[in-house]
Amino acid sequence: MTHAEAAARAAFLSAELHRHNRLYYIEARSEISDQQFDALLRELQDIEAKFPDLLTPDSPTQRVGGAPLEGFTQITHSVRMMSLDNTYSEEELAAFFARLQKGLGREKIDCVIEPKVDGVAITIRYENGVLKHGATRGDGQTGDDVTNNLKTIKRLPLRLPKDGPQTFEVRGEVFMPKAGFAKLNEERDEAGEPRFANPRNSTAGTLKLLDPKTVAKRPLDIVFYGLVEASDVQSQTEVYALLDAAGLRKADLIWQADSAEGLLSAIRELDEKRKSLPYETDGAVIKVNSFADQRELGATSKAPRWAIAYKYQPEQAETKLLAIDIQVGRTGALTPVARLEPVLISGSTVSNATLHNYEEIERKDIRVGDIVVIEKAGEIIPAVVTVKKEHRSGDEAVVTAPTHCPVCGTGVHRDEEQVVIRCPNPHCPEVVKRRIEHFVSRAAMDISGLGESVIAQLVEIKLVRDVADLYALNELLLARLERVGTKSIDNYLKAIETSKQQDPWRLVFGLGILHVGAGGARKLLEHFGSIDAIAAASIEDLTQCPDIGAIVAPSIHVWFREEHNVALLDRLRSAGLNFAQRTVTAASDKLNGTTWVITGTLSEDRETIADTIRANGGKVSGSVSGKTTYLLAGEDAGSKLDKATKLGVKIVTEAEFRAML
Ligand code: IVH
């Protein structure tokens, strides 16, 4: 291919990819499959690799994440990024409207009301139709240049349609959708990493990452609410029209009102509806519509006078703190959990709340016996907010961070930031129980029947000290379990025996290596082919594997070099477990070019069915979209079924699916 041919082909591919992205994210339809899209993207990547001068900053290949940065450079905002004053009651909001009336000297003032999206403020500049840069608010004058991270947001156009304005700066909020946030936390649990407390924290944390490839895997999204420096736009409603024309997403719900009563009814309605929005909201933003009016009202040193935030009360309740228990995790992390007198809040009964860590208990001076205020808002896990110190009788007990594991008595370790406290004893019975539970779980080795209580007994009577001991169990040993019949024993032994044939990625995931989730384990086996090859790999080799980055690789490397782990692997191998990827010659190509989403209860677990789909040439995705070809729906299918029906995705039963093969 000559340079000229390559340039022409790259321009064509780039335009096509931009067009398909726009179709998908803005018009919610698609003309090509995921595979076809990926094939075009790969072709463009190959051309850019051969002819680096053809790589433009708005290339669709930039969405998968470019090279990691050393640090963020600073961008000075063309117009200051201000914050908003807050109001917390309808009276305060009415007072705000009265100030507008006084300031403008008239009765009716046209205002717009939008949801206040709980994410991270961002400003983005387009020049000549191309996304030039994006930055965080920082101190309001200058912020971090997070352009490469923002480019991974698929909904964000890197190039604007030709028929609208080409140069302007837009302001908006980056957020993590509620569903994506929940899934991310599940994955972090699986990988033994700490959960994010709420979607805003996870968004802020993600934007601060220096490796855009990691960012590309996080489900960030964006909405826009403002425009600066656009000459022919005269009102907020005209801003909405411009956003629409540019394919930039605006708020899903917007009201217009010109009286105090109108504002109040809008904020009440929003409160009803905001639960069904895809993002977390903590209030409403009320803005004067006309830019001329805005200029007349002006701003204070920190916030405009023409806009205000109305904050909804997160639901709170008071209850008694009965105890602070210590939860021992699979990685040995000791986490304090508040046990509460049950109380109804946001429609559910809450009897446990998170205390995050001991530093927080100390900072808030939380004592056992205290009356505490707990709060629950949206996706956020119930948390203890404050203590009602005025209700203290003097009998409340101060709780200090454990110096020793409450279960095995080993002295604890603290991480560098001194926040996570861990029991370092690999034989701690509680840690062992959590590890075995993880190993046998459906997502890992899928040894069905072995529930928490059986595992607890196995560990307590010292039949099982690590996962390899499971494979030494026999009828005689299991007969020592209490309240377990011969039929169950038979089933356990069969399930354990069958698990020896599981795919080796399940074994790698089941071992519970810090930072290695199910997805990472799968990638490791795809890349290296066997557990022995992973064990032998250097840190550098490991980072060559997709999805294995600078944090995960050393963690894997260390794990495979610890003596007790080497011994454990030897025992698992002797027990006959499967250490090498069977070279799955595709069972068929019957599902080539199709993308599947699996939902509901089916005859086998999802991973097994997903493997079958992949072995027959299909792709499996976690969520229903315009690119989904089939939804495989089992019993009790829920929201995915609704979404598929809405999008007109073909729904197949398990019987139909089997028939297709
Ligand atoms: S308008 C002069 N509209 O809330 C500032 N802000 O507390 C004009 N926010 O910094 C901001 N949703 O990050 C506006 N619909 C919305 C918003 C919104 C969320 C954030 C924004 C702002 C912060 C102020």
Side-chain angles (χ1 to χ4, degrees):
M1 197 188 271
T2 66
H3 189 276
E5 282 164 355
R9 183 71 186 155
F12 168 78
L13 289 170
S14 184
E16 274 296 280
L17 287 161
H18 279 303
R19 187 173 71 83
H20 289 300
N21 203 65
R22 197 150 50 223
L23 276 179
Y24 185 77
Y25 283 97
I26 296 162
E27 295 177 33
R29 64 194 182 89
S30 43
E31 288 176 2
I32 57 174
S33 69
D34 272 12
Q35 282 86 347
Q36 289 166 319
F37 188 92
D38 290 345
L40 295 178
L41 191 67
R42 232 169 300 125
E43 191 186 344
L44 181 57
Q45 273 171 327
D46 289 346
I47 296 178
E48 288 172 350
K50 266 191 219 114
F51 303 96
D53 63 304
L54 295 178
L55 173 60
T56 58
D58 67 337
S59 167
T61 60
Q62 296 309 291
R63 291 208 189 276
V64 285
L69 299 173
E70 295 283 324
F72 294 114
T73 52
Q74 297 295 302
I75 286 187
T76 303
H77 303 312
S78 59
V79 173
R80 236 184 82 192
M81 288 182 80
M82 290 205 276
S83 61
L84 292 173
D85 285 334
N86 290 323
T87 53
Y88 296 93
S89 68
E90 297 198 340
E91 292 70 39
E92 283 179 86
L93 187 57
F96 164 74
F97 193 74
R99 287 201 297 280
L100 297 181
Q101 289 175 315
K102 188 155 172 256
L104 294 170
R106 53 173 209 271
E107 184 82 0
K108 298 260 174 234
I109 291 135
D110 189 17
C111 293
V112 296
I113 301 97
E114 299 171 6
K116 186 170 189 316
V117 182
D118 200 9
V120 174
I122 219 83
T123 185
I124 290 181
R125 188 165 179 82
Y126 285 93
E127 275 179 16
N128 304 317
V130 173
L131 190 156
K132 176 92 186 316
H133 64 234
T136 58
R137 172 163 54 196
D139 63 4
Q141 308 277 6
T142 55
D144 287 339
D145 179 347
V146 287
T147 312
N148 293 340
N149 287 350
L150 293 171
K151 280 182 181 170
T152 65
I153 302 176
K154 299 215 177 68
R155 186 192 300 281
L156 180 68
L158 302 180
R159 201 185 268 183
L160 296 171
K162 290 271 179 287
D163 48 1
Q166 301 291 297
T167 297
F168 53 82
E169 190 166 327
V170 270
R171 301 247 158 117
E173 199 87 354
V174 176
F175 65 91
M176 197 169 282
K178 291 174 185 171
F181 169 74
K183 188 154 167 265
L184 179 64
N185 262 349
E186 264 172 40
E187 289 167 6
R188 291 178 73 84
D189 274 349
E190 278 184 359
E193 289 162 15
R195 285 174 153 258
F196 284 116
N198 57 50
R200 177 162 34 83
N201 286 357
S202 61
T203 306
T206 301
L207 280 178
K208 283 204 194 96
L209 295 173
L210 292 167
D211 184 1
K213 286 201 173 62
T214 314
V215 179
K217 279 178 227 128
R218 300 270 178 92
L220 292 184
D221 207 334
I222 194 161
V223 281
F224 291 95
Y225 51 69
L227 189 66
V228 291
E229 286 193 301
S231 50
D232 46 357
V233 173
Q234 293 310 327
S235 67
Q236 185 65 20
T237 36
E238 286 173 32
V239 171
Y240 301 142
L242 183 138
L243 291 175
D244 283 342
L248 298 166
R249 179 192 195 172
K250 64 177 189 301
D252 299 72
L253 297 167
I254 295 170
W255 285 262
Q256 237 178 311
D258 61 5
S259 65
E261 295 70 52
L263 294 187
L264 295 180
S265 92
I267 58 162
R268 286 178 201 141
E269 209 177 307
L270 173 56
D271 198 16
E272 300 263 298
K273 296 193 167 150
R274 67 197 182 99
K275 288 176 195 71
S276 55
L277 289 172
Y279 34 76
E280 206 66 59
T281 54
D282 61 343
V285 179
I286 296 97
K287 305 171 193 176
V288 168
N289 192 14
S290 145
F291 284 4
D293 285 349
Q294 290 186 5
R295 279 190 293 273
E296 196 171 333
L297 289 159
T300 66
S301 61
K302 68 172 257 288
R305 288 200 187 84
W306 47 264
I308 204 147
Y310 173 84
K311 302 271 260 189
Y312 295 111
Q313 280 297 321
E315 277 192 68
Q316 293 192 335
E318 283 179 23
T319 188
K320 188 166 177 177
L321 177 63
L322 302 175
I324 294 181
D325 287 351
I326 300 176
Q327 218 166 49
V328 185
R330 168 158 64 85
T331 60
L334 305 181
T335 319
V337 183
R339 305 290 178 210
L340 308 162
E341 214 155 72
V343 60
L344 195 68
I345 172 169
S346 289
S348 55
T349 306
V350 171
S351 48
N352 301 312
T354 168
L355 288 165
H356 300 296
N357 53 57
Y358 283 92
E359 205 178 45
E360 174 165 316
I361 297 178
E362 201 173 307
R363 187 163 37 80
K364 293 184 176 165
D365 186 20
I366 300 170
R367 304 182 188 178
V368 173
D370 269 336
I371 300 296
V372 292
V373 177
I374 59 165
E375 186 173 288
K376 185 171 190 301
E379 300 303 308
I380 300 163
I381 314 157
V384 175
V385 200
T386 48
V387 173
K388 292 286 199 186
K389 291 193 181 140
E390 62 274 25
H391 295 325
R392 277 193 179 153
S393 65
D395 294 339
E396 293 75 17
V398 175
V399 180
T400 51
T403 52
H404 292 82
C405 171
V407 180
C408 69
T410 309
V412 301
H413 271 190
R414 284 173 180 254
D415 66 347
E416 291 105 83
E417 287 116 53
Q418 300 284 309
V419 181
V420 182
I421 299 179
R422 279 184 217 274
C423 167
N425 174 11
H427 307 295
C428 171
E430 208 58 21
V431 176
V432 173
K433 283 180 205 167
R434 293 293 98 70
R435 284 220 199 104
I436 310 279
E437 283 163 14
H438 169 71
F439 186 80
V440 307
S441 69
R442 266 171 85 127
M445 294 296 274
D446 193 19
I447 304 181
S448 54
L450 274 193
E452 271 180 39
S453 67
V454 175
I455 292 174
Q457 279 198 60
L458 287 170
V459 174
E460 275 153 25
I461 60 177
K462 301 203 166 57
L463 282 182
V464 170
R465 291 179 185 82
D466 58 35
V467 297
D469 283 342
L470 290 172
Y471 296 95
L473 292 174
N474 57 36
E475 259 171 79
L476 208 61
L477 291 171
L478 287 178
R480 288 165 54 189
L481 292 175
E482 278 171 33
R483 294 181 306 279
V484 176
T486 46
K487 181 110 190 294
S488 302
I489 290 180
D490 207 34
N491 288 340
Y492 298 157
L493 290 171
K494 271 198 196 118
I496 292 170
E497 188 58 32
T498 318
S499 76
K500 294 180 180 173
Q501 300 310 316
Q502 286 287 22
D503 267 348
W505 71 261
R506 288 178 172 271
L507 176 52
V508 168
F509 173 50
L511 291 170
I513 304 166
L514 197 62
H515 306 306
V516 179
R522 206 184 258 284
K523 286 273 155 58
L524 283 166
L525 264 305
E526 272 169 21
H527 187 82
F528 290 101
S530 73
I531 295 181
D532 295 329
I534 301 169
S538 66
I539 295 188
E540 207 192 334
D541 294 340
L542 287 164
T543 51
Q544 298 303 308
C545 174
D547 281 14
I548 303 300
I551 293 173
V552 194
S555 168
I556 299 170
H557 193 254
V558 167
W559 195 94
F560 280 101
R561 273 149 198 82
E562 278 172 13
E563 227 172 283
H564 58 271
N565 292 333
V566 174
L568 182 78
L569 281 176
D570 279 344
R571 286 162 58 218
L572 288 168
R573 191 198 318 272
S574 315
L577 272 77
N578 188 9
F579 270 49
Q581 190 87 324
R582 278 160 300 187
T583 33
V584 264
T585 35
S588 85
D589 54 7
K590 291 194 175 113
L591 303 181
N592 267 3
T594 60
T595 298
W596 293 72
V597 173
I598 309 169
T599 188
T601 312
L602 297 151
S603 70
E604 291 175 301
D605 70 283
R606 283 196 200 162
E607 271 314 322
T608 310
I609 294 189
D611 282 342
T612 309
I613 293 174
R614 284 188 272 259
N616 287 283
K619 253 184 100 167
V620 180
S621 156
S623 60
V624 178
S625 74
K627 293 186 186 172
T628 312
T629 328
Y630 296 108
L631 178 80
L632 174 55
E635 266 171 60
D636 299 322
S639 61
K640 285 183 182 156
L641 183 58
D642 298 342
K643 181 146 185 220
T645 315
K646 212 179 280 165
L647 291 177
V649 170
K650 182 140 178 34
I651 293 153
V652 297
T653 63
E654 186 171 350
E656 288 169 326
F657 164 67
R658 303 278 174 205
M660 287 167 83
L661 300 175

